[in-house]
Amino acid sequence: MNSSAGVYMKHGVFELVRRVLPSGLTIGVSYFDRTSEEHPVALQTALQDAVKVVAAKHDFATDDSVDLSIRNLFSGDAQAMILEAAWDIDHPVIIGVWIFFRAACIVRGESGLESVRAVYSEDIAIISAGVKKLIHTTPVNKSFPKDMKFGEFFMMELVEFMSSKSSSVFGYTPKFIRGEICLTNKKMKDLCDHFGSVVGIAADSAVLKIVDAENFIRKNDVHVVEMHTMELHGQLDSNNFVMRWVGDGDEVVLVSFSKCISTNYGKTIVQMQACTEAMPSKSLILEEVFLSLLSAGLNEIRGRCWGATDRAMVSKRSQDIEESSGKGNLPDMYLHVLKDAEALMALERLGFKRHCFGSSAMKPLVTDLSFMRNKKIKLATLAESRRCTKITV
């Protein structure tokens, strides 16, 4: 049995981008199908396992959050990919799940700051129960590959999907993956290092949380800002936009706004990114510019009703659910600053707080998919096991 990566083949209930390892184990990525009877059930099982792991580490209640996350997947706000493996391709086993969102990413191009299409990675997890099932069902004439690094293979197949299938599935081919990471998560940190992710571990980077967002909305702004919208399938992308300010000289400040979902709580959140160019050191005008950009962005969020969806506040050590709806609500908001000391200092002077998950500070990261595509070619020659069996590509 042989197969090349990137070929869609339907087996059982899953449509796989699959690759067959020399051991006979098939691995592949399946896109979440909202019309399928089986996919929602499978995804719910995977999400429950992943969220329970997070809850155990950080002492968060998780009741109802999985159901709310599934609901958001059906609404189209969230996207999902499932990593599967099988000895018998008619009976694949889920061993991982990736939840992500359509997003914007601000990068420094040759002509200055620009916003490009990206995806925001909310969760990626390997499901140990699925791996154990594969081990226990290994055929007599085969052996489960030792030292299998499923995270690497998952990322390899995701890159394959992003390169060849993503445009037809969710509207565009992303150039970057954005996200955040807790540095105590060594496995994820190693995976990011392996794929060349830029992680904001220095003093010029942080994930900030906006406290009392209503206070940033102003009636009169002294700085004129412009909004850049994005298209999706030929129409307005209702979940992404960018606010831009241009100074008298080369000064430019951009803030992107992306509607996402917290899978730990099942509620709407906004993931933002801020970046500056040619701003004078310790410029007090930067604070005023950020206030104008945020005020305009928050008013746009209200107009787009991002806060009008059901929200669940699952409190620590509590299973009480606080429901609220209405056009005026503003979701929780997080702002990423990566390698931009001036922006970070200005935002902290405005009262933005460092975002922690439990007791661990979160750090921003950006992964260039073009680098990952090159890395994928090299990874295809890695040893599958201690016996140095080569992976077939």
Side-chain angles (χ1 to χ4, degrees), residues 16 46 92 105 119 125 130 169 174 224 240 256 270 273 305 314 322-323 343 375 378 389 391:
L16 300 176
C105 183
V119 294
V169 172
V224 177
N240 287 281
S256 67
V270 179
Q273 183 187 10
C305 303
V314 185
E322 175 191 332
E323 298 288 352
K375 190 74 172 179
K378 296 177 182 179
T389 306
I391 300 171

Side-chain angles (χ1 to χ4, degrees), residues 8 13-18 27-33 39 80-84 92 94 96 98 100 154 157-158 161:
Y8 273 83
V13 299
F14 298 103
E15 191 172 342
L16 300 176
V17 180
R18 65 189 182 107
I27 61 171
V29 172
S30 174
Y31 185 72
F32 178 68
D33 182 1
H39 275 204
M81 300 289 290
I82 299 172
L83 176 64
E84 299 156 313
I94 294 177
W98 183 41
F100 62 98
F154 199 175
E157 300 303 340
L158 288 172
F161 173 82

